[in-house]
Amino acid sequence: MLLTGKTNYGVNFTGIIKYGERTWSLKSGSSENFRESILPPPDPGPNYAKFMDHYTAKKAEGYNVTLGKVIEAPSILLGHSQGAIANDNIPDASSLHDGFYFFKIFVCLFADLILSLQDHKSSQIFFETTDWKHAFQVVEVELGLMYDMLYTKAVLTYSHLGIFLKFVSFFCTLSAFIAFSCLILIHNKAPIQFHQIIEGHKHINYDLIITFALFIGAILLEIYAVIVLLSSSWAMLWLSKHKNWGVDRLYESISWFQKCFKLSHTKRWSNLMSQFNLIRFCLKDDSVKCITVLKFIFHFYPSLEKSYYQDTEIVPPELKELIFDQLKVKSEEAINIEACKQLCADRGDRVLEKWRCHDGDIKRSIKEVEFDQSILLWHIATDLCYYSDEPAVSFQSREMSKLLSNYMLYLLVMCPFMLPNGIGQIRFEDTCAEVDELLIERKYISESDQACKMILRVNTEIPPSEVKGDRSKSVLFDACIPTVFRNGGELVKRTEMGNDESCLGGDALPCSKPM
């Protein structure tokens, strides 16, 4: 490749820097090192022995010594003032400042640590006094920073050492490219030719072309990495704290590159929520031949099939506002630790108490069953309500209920590690098997609404558990017992009239815990 020692040194040094950054980042992102990096320094507290010596001495001198309580000055709600935002040209500057401040507080939760009472109160006051849009933007910033710390080289890249290494890496790559080009020119003593003459015939010098392509590609990647670095939330936070001619010109340049490369620090997530519907999965309405063929070739067909029937939907603003309003209501009730524990333990029974719904079947479907069973049961009940002939709630509330219902089933089926331990997979498979059994006898059914109406027509006068016993874990007909279905619809109707918790089309009852 005609690389001499000097040129090779630059390339090797760049490679050492790159792999060194990656190794350091992997080490820093491990659970043990991550926990150690955020642990506060040991705090012995006030010197008790010295205090007691002083107390004893004063008492011996005849003073009347009493122990008083120190009243601490009220802490500032945020770690910055609005005056810290010097540059108003940066979009979402306020969200960046709030997000970085709370990120430093809540990062300890990812290492199984606890919050101090002061941090807990500070965050509670902040979210109670802000609107849902700003609150979601702050949470987006926090989660984006957490992702950077765990899965990228952000800890090193955005430090002074990381910026220096980025400059050295780019300089070494560029120097190696210039040195290589000069050596080729000196060797040929003529402009660079990408062909060579051998025995009177021209042959393309592929080695030379590949080497130049690799160098140019490496330099372009370094430039793109710098643009991405300058477009990040970390860089925008720094720019928002400074206001001068140079910073304004730098931001204008960054904005131009962002438009060219379609980069944006304000869009931090896709605004999509995954969906999985049991009835649609059982209908196999979108089955394709290539996946069917895999069933006979690979043993991982079930996983591929579930992934194929997984959808995504845009999270509507109304759903975000509804979730935030409900969290604010619960936050007002969290006056102490015991109240917080009670709120976390609730799985929808507070809604029943609020609307004075004392039906035994509904209470059993929430309190007396496991969490995964409750999710699956109310997912089916939500579909039955959704496709009923006379919907009890408005279109918007029905759609939000269905979004939450399908999302909760997605967690149960595709991400069971995010929910409490249970036999959710077994219950899901048994319920699908029972739905398949019904559909085999009624092959004319091809739509979800037809399947739901067919399920509702089944007589459930005798409870399914008395017929099946413990043999099957299916909850299909437990969700459509007339008492549960009728009272569930009545609960939704009263909720809609009260204009509160309007997404409770069934599935939001067990959904209150994960949210």
Side-chain angles (χ1 to χ4, degrees), residues 53-86:
D53 290 341
H54 188 66
Y55 172 84
T56 304
K58 290 296 182 181
K59 197 171 184 180
E61 293 175 4
Y63 289 100
N64 183 17
V65 184
T66 58
L67 182 64
K69 185 176 182 181
V70 178
I71 301 177
E72 298 181 357
S75 60
I76 301 176
L77 174 61
L78 295 179
H80 68 278
S81 62
Q82 291 299 323
I85 306 176

mmCIF file of all heavy atoms in Angstrom, residues 53-86:
data_model
loop_
_atom_site.group_PDB
_atom_site.id
_atom_site.type_symbol
_atom_site.label_atom_id
_atom_site.label_comp_id
_atom_site.label_asym_id
_atom_site.label_seq_id
_atom_site.Cartn_x
_atom_site.Cartn_y
_atom_site.Cartn_z
ATOM 1 N N ASP A 53 -17.903 17.163 73.463
ATOM 2 C CA ASP A 53 -16.861 17.725 74.320
ATOM 3 C C ASP A 53 -17.150 19.198 74.628
ATOM 4 O O ASP A 53 -17.004 19.654 75.773
ATOM 5 C CB ASP A 53 -15.493 17.588 73.645
ATOM 6 C CG ASP A 53 -15.022 16.149 73.593
ATOM 7 O OD1 ASP A 53 -15.554 15.332 74.369
ATOM 8 O OD2 ASP A 53 -14.133 15.843 72.772
ATOM 9 N N HIS A 54 -17.546 19.925 73.591
ATOM 10 C CA HIS A 54 -17.880 21.327 73.782
ATOM 11 C C HIS A 54 -19.111 21.483 74.672
ATOM 12 O O HIS A 54 -19.173 22.379 75.533
ATOM 13 C CB HIS A 54 -18.117 21.972 72.416
ATOM 14 C CG HIS A 54 -18.292 23.460 72.463
ATOM 15 N ND1 HIS A 54 -17.291 24.330 72.837
ATOM 16 C CD2 HIS A 54 -19.379 24.251 72.205
ATOM 17 C CE1 HIS A 54 -17.725 25.573 72.798
ATOM 18 N NE2 HIS A 54 -19.004 25.542 72.415
ATOM 19 N N TYR A 55 -20.077 20.606 74.469
ATOM 20 C CA TYR A 55 -21.305 20.621 75.279
ATOM 21 C C TYR A 55 -20.984 20.356 76.748
ATOM 22 O O TYR A 55 -21.467 21.052 77.650
ATOM 23 C CB TYR A 55 -22.269 19.577 74.724
ATOM 24 C CG TYR A 55 -23.508 19.353 75.568
ATOM 25 C CD1 TYR A 55 -24.618 20.180 75.442
ATOM 26 C CD2 TYR A 55 -23.568 18.299 76.483
ATOM 27 C CE1 TYR A 55 -25.751 19.974 76.210
ATOM 28 C CE2 TYR A 55 -24.686 18.081 77.252
ATOM 29 C CZ TYR A 55 -25.779 18.918 77.117
ATOM 30 O OH TYR A 55 -26.898 18.720 77.879
ATOM 31 N N THR A 56 -20.151 19.357 76.999
ATOM 32 C CA THR A 56 -19.780 19.005 78.374
ATOM 33 C C THR A 56 -19.000 20.129 79.047
ATOM 34 O O THR A 56 -19.214 20.448 80.225
ATOM 35 C CB THR A 56 -18.956 17.719 78.372
ATOM 36 O OG1 THR A 56 -19.691 16.676 77.707
ATOM 37 C CG2 THR A 56 -18.639 17.271 79.795
ATOM 38 N N ALA A 57 -18.099 20.760 78.284
ATOM 39 C CA ALA A 57 -17.294 21.844 78.847
ATOM 40 C C ALA A 57 -18.163 23.040 79.236
ATOM 41 O O ALA A 57 -17.995 23.632 80.316
ATOM 42 C CB ALA A 57 -16.225 22.262 77.845
ATOM 43 N N LYS A 58 -19.087 23.406 78.363
ATOM 44 C CA LYS A 58 -19.964 24.527 78.663
ATOM 45 C C LYS A 58 -20.872 24.239 79.849
ATOM 46 O O LYS A 58 -21.151 25.113 80.683
ATOM 47 C CB LYS A 58 -20.815 24.862 77.429
ATOM 48 C CG LYS A 58 -20.023 25.477 76.285
ATOM 49 C CD LYS A 58 -19.446 26.835 76.672
ATOM 50 C CE LYS A 58 -18.702 27.462 75.508
ATOM 51 N NZ LYS A 58 -18.110 28.775 75.893
ATOM 52 N N LYS A 59 -21.322 22.998 79.922
ATOM 53 C CA LYS A 59 -22.190 22.619 81.032
ATOM 54 C C LYS A 59 -21.426 22.637 82.348
ATOM 55 O O LYS A 59 -21.968 23.014 83.407
ATOM 56 C CB LYS A 59 -22.783 21.234 80.758
ATOM 57 C CG LYS A 59 -23.992 20.907 81.621
ATOM 58 C CD LYS A 59 -24.661 19.629 81.142
ATOM 59 C CE LYS A 59 -25.911 19.367 81.953
ATOM 60 N NZ LYS A 59 -26.601 18.132 81.517
ATOM 61 N N ALA A 60 -20.146 22.221 82.275
ATOM 62 C CA ALA A 60 -19.320 22.231 83.485
ATOM 63 C C ALA A 60 -19.029 23.653 83.951
ATOM 64 O O ALA A 60 -18.805 23.900 85.149
ATOM 65 C CB ALA A 60 -18.025 21.482 83.223
ATOM 66 N N GLU A 61 -19.024 24.602 83.040
ATOM 67 C CA GLU A 61 -18.784 25.994 83.396
ATOM 68 C C GLU A 61 -20.002 26.669 84.004
ATOM 69 O O GLU A 61 -19.945 27.831 84.407
ATOM 70 C CB GLU A 61 -18.327 26.767 82.159
ATOM 71 C CG GLU A 61 -16.957 26.336 81.635
ATOM 72 C CD GLU A 61 -16.586 27.039 80.351
ATOM 73 O OE1 GLU A 61 -17.378 27.928 79.906
ATOM 74 O OE2 GLU A 61 -15.538 26.714 79.769
ATOM 75 N N GLY A 62 -21.103 25.954 84.052
ATOM 76 C CA GLY A 62 -22.301 26.498 84.681
ATOM 77 C C GLY A 62 -23.317 27.068 83.721
ATOM 78 O O GLY A 62 -24.335 27.632 84.152
ATOM 79 N N TYR A 63 -23.081 26.928 82.445
ATOM 80 C CA TYR A 63 -24.048 27.426 81.470
ATOM 81 C C TYR A 63 -25.253 26.491 81.393
ATOM 82 O O TYR A 63 -25.136 25.268 81.586
ATOM 83 C CB TYR A 63 -23.403 27.529 80.081
ATOM 84 C CG TYR A 63 -22.397 28.653 79.967
ATOM 85 C CD1 TYR A 63 -21.031 28.380 80.065
ATOM 86 C CD2 TYR A 63 -22.806 29.964 79.741
ATOM 87 C CE1 TYR A 63 -20.090 29.395 79.947
ATOM 88 C CE2 TYR A 63 -21.870 30.981 79.624
ATOM 89 C CZ TYR A 63 -20.525 30.693 79.738
ATOM 90 O OH TYR A 63 -19.601 31.704 79.624
ATOM 91 N N ASN A 64 -26.393 27.083 81.099
ATOM 92 C CA ASN A 64 -27.603 26.285 80.868
ATOM 93 C C ASN A 64 -27.650 25.939 79.381
ATOM 94 O O ASN A 64 -28.078 26.740 78.548
ATOM 95 C CB ASN A 64 -28.840 27.070 81.295
ATOM 96 C CG ASN A 64 -30.112 26.236 81.145
ATOM 97 O OD1 ASN A 64 -30.050 25.014 81.025
ATOM 98 N ND2 ASN A 64 -31.261 26.891 81.147
ATOM 99 N N VAL A 65 -27.188 24.770 79.033
ATOM 100 C CA VAL A 65 -27.033 24.361 77.631
ATOM 101 C C VAL A 65 -28.232 23.532 77.207
ATOM 102 O O VAL A 65 -28.601 22.561 77.875
ATOM 103 C CB VAL A 65 -25.736 23.547 77.428
ATOM 104 C CG1 VAL A 65 -25.554 23.232 75.948
ATOM 105 C CG2 VAL A 65 -24.546 24.324 77.965
ATOM 106 N N THR A 66 -28.855 23.913 76.132
ATOM 107 C CA THR A 66 -29.964 23.141 75.547
ATOM 108 C C THR A 66 -29.683 22.895 74.070
ATOM 109 O O THR A 66 -28.959 23.660 73.420
ATOM 110 C CB THR A 66 -31.299 23.895 75.691
ATOM 111 O OG1 THR A 66 -31.190 25.173 75.045
ATOM 112 C CG2 THR A 66 -31.675 24.088 77.155
ATOM 113 N N LEU A 67 -30.255 21.866 73.561
ATOM 114 C CA LEU A 67 -30.065 21.483 72.160
ATOM 115 C C LEU A 67 -31.198 22.074 71.334
ATOM 116 O O LEU A 67 -32.376 21.769 71.551
ATOM 117 C CB LEU A 67 -30.039 19.960 72.006
ATOM 118 C CG LEU A 67 -29.810 19.427 70.589
ATOM 119 C CD1 LEU A 67 -28.428 19.845 70.091
ATOM 120 C CD2 LEU A 67 -29.944 17.907 70.557
ATOM 121 N N GLY A 68 -30.834 22.937 70.418
ATOM 122 C CA GLY A 68 -31.825 23.552 69.545
ATOM 123 C C GLY A 68 -31.778 22.973 68.145
ATOM 124 O O GLY A 68 -30.798 22.351 67.739
ATOM 125 N N LYS A 69 -32.861 23.172 67.400
ATOM 126 C CA LYS A 69 -32.958 22.657 66.041
ATOM 127 C C LYS A 69 -32.577 23.748 65.052
ATOM 128 O O LYS A 69 -33.086 24.875 65.128
ATOM 129 C CB LYS A 69 -34.382 22.175 65.751
ATOM 130 C CG LYS A 69 -34.529 21.514 64.388
ATOM 131 C CD LYS A 69 -35.944 20.981 64.204
ATOM 132 C CE LYS A 69 -36.071 20.283 62.860
ATOM 133 N NZ LYS A 69 -37.457 19.766 62.640
ATOM 134 N N VAL A 70 -31.672 23.421 64.157
ATOM 135 C CA VAL A 70 -31.221 24.373 63.144
ATOM 136 C C VAL A 70 -32.246 24.423 62.024
ATOM 137 O O VAL A 70 -32.608 23.384 61.444
ATOM 138 C CB VAL A 70 -29.843 23.981 62.581
ATOM 139 C CG1 VAL A 70 -29.417 24.959 61.494
ATOM 140 C CG2 VAL A 70 -28.816 23.937 63.699
ATOM 141 N N ILE A 71 -32.733 25.605 61.745
ATOM 142 C CA ILE A 71 -33.690 25.790 60.652
ATOM 143 C C ILE A 71 -32.915 26.149 59.398
ATOM 144 O O ILE A 71 -32.304 27.218 59.305
ATOM 145 C CB ILE A 71 -34.703 26.905 60.998
ATOM 146 C CG1 ILE A 71 -35.450 26.544 62.288
ATOM 147 C CG2 ILE A 71 -35.682 27.108 59.847
ATOM 148 C CD1 ILE A 71 -36.403 27.628 62.741
ATOM 149 N N GLU A 72 -32.921 25.226 58.449
ATOM 150 C CA GLU A 72 -32.175 25.444 57.220
ATOM 151 C C GLU A 72 -32.928 26.400 56.300
ATOM 152 O O GLU A 72 -34.160 26.414 56.259
ATOM 153 C CB GLU A 72 -31.927 24.121 56.498
ATOM 154 C CG GLU A 72 -31.080 23.144 57.308
ATOM 155 C CD GLU A 72 -30.841 21.858 56.539
ATOM 156 O OE1 GLU A 72 -31.390 21.741 55.426
ATOM 157 O OE2 GLU A 72 -30.111 21.000 57.042
ATOM 158 N N ALA A 73 -32.166 27.189 55.593
ATOM 159 C CA ALA A 73 -32.770 28.107 54.623
ATOM 160 C C ALA A 73 -33.397 27.307 53.500
ATOM 161 O O ALA A 73 -32.871 26.260 53.091
ATOM 162 C CB ALA A 73 -31.710 29.048 54.065
ATOM 163 N N PRO A 74 -34.560 27.718 52.999
ATOM 164 C CA PRO A 74 -35.210 26.975 51.918
ATOM 165 C C PRO A 74 -34.317 26.913 50.691
ATOM 166 O O PRO A 74 -33.723 27.919 50.291
ATOM 167 C CB PRO A 74 -36.489 27.788 51.645
ATOM 168 C CG PRO A 74 -36.215 29.145 52.181
ATOM 169 C CD PRO A 74 -35.286 28.942 53.342
ATOM 170 N N SER A 75 -34.199 25.744 50.136
ATOM 171 C CA SER A 75 -33.327 25.555 48.969
ATOM 172 C C SER A 75 -33.986 26.081 47.711
ATOM 173 O O SER A 75 -35.209 26.143 47.603
ATOM 174 C CB SER A 75 -33.007 24.064 48.791
ATOM 175 O OG SER A 75 -34.201 23.339 48.590
ATOM 176 N N ILE A 76 -33.154 26.469 46.782
ATOM 177 C CA ILE A 76 -33.660 26.934 45.494
ATOM 178 C C ILE A 76 -34.246 25.747 44.751
ATOM 179 O O ILE A 76 -33.712 24.647 44.769
ATOM 180 C CB ILE A 76 -32.535 27.578 44.675
ATOM 181 C CG1 ILE A 76 -31.954 28.764 45.452
ATOM 182 C CG2 ILE A 76 -33.036 28.048 43.320
ATOM 183 C CD1 ILE A 76 -30.764 29.409 44.775
ATOM 184 N N LEU A 77 -35.384 25.979 44.109
ATOM 185 C CA LEU A 77 -36.064 24.880 43.433
ATOM 186 C C LEU A 77 -35.189 24.251 42.370
ATOM 187 O O LEU A 77 -35.045 23.041 42.295
ATOM 188 C CB LEU A 77 -37.366 25.389 42.797
ATOM 189 C CG LEU A 77 -38.120 24.388 41.927
ATOM 190 C CD1 LEU A 77 -38.520 23.187 42.776
ATOM 191 C CD2 LEU A 77 -39.342 25.033 41.296
ATOM 192 N N LEU A 78 -34.572 25.061 41.555
ATOM 193 C CA LEU A 78 -33.726 24.538 40.491
ATOM 194 C C LEU A 78 -32.289 24.947 40.737
ATOM 195 O O LEU A 78 -32.008 25.931 41.408
ATOM 196 C CB LEU A 78 -34.184 25.057 39.126
ATOM 197 C CG LEU A 78 -35.573 24.594 38.681
ATOM 198 C CD1 LEU A 78 -35.899 25.199 37.327
ATOM 199 C CD2 LEU A 78 -35.665 23.090 38.625
ATOM 200 N N GLY A 79 -31.379 24.194 40.161
ATOM 201 C CA GLY A 79 -29.970 24.486 40.331
ATOM 202 C C GLY A 79 -29.496 25.615 39.440
ATOM 203 O O GLY A 79 -28.324 25.913 39.385
ATOM 204 N N HIS A 80 -30.402 26.234 38.720
ATOM 205 C CA HIS A 80 -30.023 27.363 37.886
ATOM 206 C C HIS A 80 -31.164 28.371 37.908
ATOM 207 O O HIS A 80 -32.298 28.041 38.211
ATOM 208 C CB HIS A 80 -29.783 26.905 36.452
ATOM 209 C CG HIS A 80 -31.036 26.464 35.771
ATOM 210 N ND1 HIS A 80 -31.564 25.209 35.941
ATOM 211 C CD2 HIS A 80 -31.887 27.126 34.945
ATOM 212 C CE1 HIS A 80 -32.677 25.118 35.244
ATOM 213 N NE2 HIS A 80 -32.894 26.243 34.629
ATOM 214 N N SER A 81 -30.880 29.556 37.600
ATOM 215 C CA SER A 81 -31.907 30.577 37.448
ATOM 216 C C SER A 81 -32.134 30.820 35.971
ATOM 217 O O SER A 81 -31.349 30.409 35.122
ATOM 218 C CB SER A 81 -31.459 31.873 38.133
ATOM 219 O OG SER A 81 -30.287 32.375 37.519
ATOM 220 N N GLN A 82 -33.253 31.479 35.659
ATOM 221 C CA GLN A 82 -33.517 31.757 34.253
ATOM 222 C C GLN A 82 -32.452 32.666 33.661
ATOM 223 O O GLN A 82 -32.267 32.727 32.459
ATOM 224 C CB GLN A 82 -34.910 32.398 34.118
ATOM 225 C CG GLN A 82 -36.049 31.435 34.424
ATOM 226 C CD GLN A 82 -36.069 30.249 33.494
ATOM 227 O OE1 GLN A 82 -35.776 30.353 32.309
ATOM 228 N NE2 GLN A 82 -36.399 29.083 34.032
ATOM 229 N N GLY A 83 -31.727 33.400 34.537
ATOM 230 C CA GLY A 83 -30.654 34.242 34.031
ATOM 231 C C GLY A 83 -29.494 33.452 33.472
ATOM 232 O O GLY A 83 -28.665 33.976 32.741
ATOM 233 N N ALA A 84 -29.414 32.142 33.833
ATOM 234 C CA ALA A 84 -28.333 31.300 33.311
ATOM 235 C C ALA A 84 -28.505 31.027 31.831
ATOM 236 O O ALA A 84 -27.565 30.655 31.145
ATOM 237 C CB ALA A 84 -28.264 29.991 34.082
ATOM 238 N N ILE A 85 -29.740 31.183 31.320
ATOM 239 C CA ILE A 85 -29.998 30.987 29.901
ATOM 240 C C ILE A 85 -29.670 32.299 29.201
ATOM 241 O O ILE A 85 -30.521 33.189 29.067
ATOM 242 C CB ILE A 85 -31.453 30.562 29.649
ATOM 243 C CG1 ILE A 85 -31.797 29.326 30.480
ATOM 244 C CG2 ILE A 85 -31.689 30.293 28.170
ATOM 245 C CD1 ILE A 85 -33.238 28.902 30.364
ATOM 246 N N ALA A 86 -28.422 32.430 28.773
ATOM 247 C CA ALA A 86 -27.961 33.694 28.192
ATOM 248 C C ALA A 86 -28.330 33.828 26.726
ATOM 249 O O ALA A 86 -28.521 34.932 26.220
ATOM 250 C CB ALA A 86 -26.439 33.822 28.359
#
